[in-house]
């Protein structure tokens, strides 16, 4: 009997220590999907029982551990919260929404409850959000799981790179020697590298569409209207008159699904139903890049491949029925107008910071009960924890009257000059 008992005890011990074979298979299936996962692939995999939400999020976190050190796509990753959310979804059974178990990277200027909103700056490390921003609340309601806070240009102060004191230098996953642009570069890099399936960024002057271009993603800068402006709630403001929240995805289908889930529109049906553009006229500027000034004294030399792709896009639109009106500038009219805008907004701080005090105070008011800062003036206590460029902006903001008028015509770029 003793000789029989020993093998049985060993077998029982092995069954106790080792995970069930189905769990191993589930994690393998999830791992194979994540490098280029789609929303539909995640939903069908969970629906068919090939893997669980816990399998997927576990493997997503493992992938972040393996690759984020070389990319610096994330400032922080809340593993415990992500795994808890995944387990809760599995215990509930069924699909919780259009974004069920979809891992999402959220730019670190958008509030996620219980996590600091740092914007990449040491001064804001204690700004732990008491509630979710509007966009994160919509993502959660649709079943998405916030996987981490993405790196960004510190305080959103750059569109050409995403470098922050807290996150480091975000690298482009396609070529680490190159920039992932900014200021939402971390979100773009995370999605492109398969460290998240969707990314959330903010766009003031191209900070979503730039990183999407650099990393080969699909995105749209939303229209400036009440429906989309509502998503700014709970986002640290950069320039409220132009700030918008944007989504990033690897495919058109993923973007449309996410857009409808977050913004509550039937955008996917509208776009999918468009087969002919015979009522649309598009003016196509052939020499835009040569005319676009980097500054009032410099111009930009375009990559030939970029020009080729723009021309191909015009041809495809024409093939769908659109009327393409091609024209060229004389090299001075567009450049002169843009140059006036750039010069005016850079030399008149009041214009580039219009409405900043009100929007910053409105944002900080969300934290009034529990946060370290009650208003913009409180930030002067930790001003050394901000980059120099933002210190200047903040000092000017604080110097403005509390009842500053937002949107003064003199500061509207369309009326300058």
């Amino acid at each position: 009997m003793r000789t029989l008992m020993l093998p049985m005890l060993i077998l029982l011990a092995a069954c106790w220590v080792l995970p069930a074979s189905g769990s191993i298979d589930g994690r393998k299936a999830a791992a194979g999907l994540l490098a280029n996962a789609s929303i539909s692939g995640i939903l069908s995999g969970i629906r068919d029982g090939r893997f669980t939400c816990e399998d997927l999020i576990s493997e997503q976190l493992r992938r972040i551990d393996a690759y984020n050190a070389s990319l610096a796509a994330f400032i922080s990753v809340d593993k415990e919260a992500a795994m808890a959310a995944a387990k809760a979804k599995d215990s509930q059974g069924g699909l919780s929404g259009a974004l069920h178990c979809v891992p999402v990277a959220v730019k670190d200027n958008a509030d996620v409850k219980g996590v600091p909103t740092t914007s990449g700056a040491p001064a804001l490390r204690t700004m732990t959000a008491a509630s979710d921003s509007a966009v994160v609340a919509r993502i959660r309601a649709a079943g998405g799981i916030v996987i981490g806070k993405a790196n960004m240009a510190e305080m959103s102060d750059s569109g050409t790179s995403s470098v922050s004191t807290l996150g480091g230098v975000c690298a482009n996953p396609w070529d680490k020697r190159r920039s992932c642009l900014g200021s939402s570069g971390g979100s773009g890099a995370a999605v492109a590298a398969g460290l998240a399936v969707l990314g959330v960024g903010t766009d003031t002057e191209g900070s979503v569409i730039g990183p999407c271009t650099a990393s080969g993603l699909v995105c749209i800068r939303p229209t400036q209207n009440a429906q989309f402006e509502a998503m700014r709630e709970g986002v640290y403001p950069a320039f409220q008159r132009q700030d918008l929240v944007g989504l990033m995805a690897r495919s058109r289908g993923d973007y449309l699904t996410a857009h409808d889930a977050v913004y509550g529109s039937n955008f996917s049906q509208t776009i999918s139903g468009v087969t002919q553009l015979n009522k649309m006229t598009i003016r196509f500027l052939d020499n835009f890049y040569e005319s676009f000034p980097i500054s009032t004294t410099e111009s930009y030399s375009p990559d030939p491949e970029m020009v080729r792709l723009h021309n191909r896009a015009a041809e495809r639109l024409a093939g769908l029925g659109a009327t393409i009106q091609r024209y060229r500038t004389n090299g001075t009219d567009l450049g002169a107008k843009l140059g006036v805008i750039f010069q005016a907004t850079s030399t008149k701080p009041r214009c580039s910071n219009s409405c900043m005090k009100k929007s910053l105070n409105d944002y900080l008011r969300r934290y009034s009960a529990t946060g370290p800062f009650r208003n913009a003036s409180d930030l002067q206590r930790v001003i050394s924890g901000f980059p120099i460029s933002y210190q200047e902006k903040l000092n000017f903001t604080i110097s403005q009257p509390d009842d500053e008028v937002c949107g003064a015509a003199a500061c509207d770029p369309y009326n300058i000059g």
Side-chain angles (χ1 to χ4, degrees):
M1 180 64 71
R2 285 183 182 176
T3 56
L4 289 174
M5 286 294 293
L6 185 58
M8 289 178 66
L9 289 172
I10 293 173
L11 180 60
L12 287 171
C15 291
W16 180 263
V17 173
L18 294 175
S21 61
S23 179
I24 294 174
D25 290 342
R27 289 200 300 271
K28 286 182 178 178
L33 174 74
L34 280 173
N36 195 30
S38 66
I39 294 174
S40 61
I42 290 172
L43 298 185
S44 64
I46 292 176
R47 189 187 299 114
D48 298 344
R50 295 197 302 274
F51 50 82
T52 64
C53 185
E54 184 179 351
D55 290 331
L56 183 85
I57 296 303
S58 176
E59 289 304 315
Q60 184 71 92
L61 293 171
R62 195 188 308 272
R63 187 173 174 85
I64 291 172
D65 284 342
Y67 296 107
N68 188 57
S70 64
L71 293 175
F74 287 99
I75 286 178
S76 64
V77 178
D78 192 343
K79 295 183 179 182
E80 290 185 5
M83 289 301 297
K87 292 175 181 178
K89 291 188 183 303
D90 288 337
S91 66
Q92 293 166 3
L95 301 181
S96 57
L99 303 180
H100 179 83
C101 200
V102 172
V104 183
V106 177
K107 186 177 180 180
D108 205 13
N109 63 345
D111 289 353
V112 173
K113 185 178 180 179
V115 181
T117 305
T118 73
S119 292
L124 300 180
R125 277 186 292 200
T126 56
M127 284 280 289
T128 301
S131 59
D132 285 333
S133 56
V135 63
V136 170
R138 289 284 182 89
I139 287 168
R140 292 201 207 271
I145 293 180
V146 175
I147 204 76
K149 302 301 292 292
N151 198 3
M152 56 183 284
E154 192 163 339
M155 302 311 299
S156 301
D157 264 10
S158 174
T160 58
S161 64
S162 286
V163 181
S164 70
T165 302
L166 296 184
V169 180
C170 182
N172 191 313
W174 296 106
D175 184 345
K176 294 176 186 176
R177 299 168 300 174
R178 297 179 182 272
S179 171
C180 56
L181 296 185
S183 59
S184 310
S187 298
V191 175
L195 308 188
V197 175
L198 290 176
V200 173
T202 57
D203 193 308
T204 304
E205 295 177 325
S207 290
V208 165
I209 56 178
C212 282
T213 300
S215 295
L217 302 177
V218 177
C219 68
I220 293 175
R221 174 182 161 86
T223 304
Q224 201 94 25
N225 63 28
Q227 176 188 7
F228 299 119
E229 289 173 358
M231 291 298 102
R232 294 190 304 215
E233 181 188 351
V235 174
Y236 196 99
F239 182 22
Q240 191 179 33
R241 293 172 57 209
Q242 291 181 203
D243 292 349
L244 287 167
V245 174
L247 306 173
M248 308 178 183
R250 281 192 291 269
S251 69
R252 174 178 177 270
D254 278 4
Y255 179 82
L256 295 177
T257 298
H259 184 104
D260 287 358
V262 170
Y263 297 119
S265 65
N266 61 346
F267 189 65
S268 58
Q269 295 179 11
T270 302
I271 295 297
S272 299
V274 174
T275 55
Q276 293 294 319
L277 304 180
N278 53 9
K279 294 183 179 180
M280 181 178 289
T281 299
I282 299 172
R283 300 190 71 193
F284 192 86
L285 179 55
D286 279 328
N287 63 334
F288 173 79
Y289 292 104
E290 292 91 333
S291 305
F292 189 90
I294 294 176
S295 68
T296 53
T297 58
E298 297 176 288
S299 60
Y300 174 69
S301 179
D303 186 311
E305 177 67 3
M306 189 182 296
V307 175
R308 187 187 70 80
L309 290 172
H310 275 78
N311 283 325
R312 189 175 74 173
E315 292 168 3
R316 292 186 66 179
L317 288 167
L320 291 170
T323 299
I324 306 297
Q325 294 183 350
R326 290 182 174 271
Y327 70 105
R328 298 178 65 85
T329 70
N330 60 13
T332 58
D333 52 356
L334 178 66
K337 291 174 183 176
L338 291 174
V340 167
I341 293 173
F342 294 156
Q343 186 175 25
T345 55
S346 62
T347 58
K348 298 178 182 177
R350 179 171 170 269
C351 291
S352 59
N353 294 285
S354 175
C355 204
M356 186 64 199
K357 189 168 188 177
K358 181 181 184 305
S359 59
L360 188 52
N361 284 337
D362 286 346
Y363 172 77
L364 293 173
R365 197 172 293 120
R366 288 169 55 91
Y367 294 84
S368 58
T370 59
F373 311 112
R374 294 166 301 167
N375 51 48
S377 297
D378 276 356
L379 292 173
Q380 281 191 319
R381 290 190 280 109
V382 292
I383 198 165
S384 61
F386 292 112
I388 295 297
S389 58
Y390 191 76
Q391 290 182 32
E392 295 172 353
K393 181 177 182 179
L394 182 60
N395 282 330
F396 178 83
T397 297
I398 293 167
S399 72
Q400 296 306 294
D402 290 333
D403 59 348
E404 66 168 337
V405 178
C406 301
C411 291
D412 188 335
Y414 296 103
N415 290 327
I416 289 176

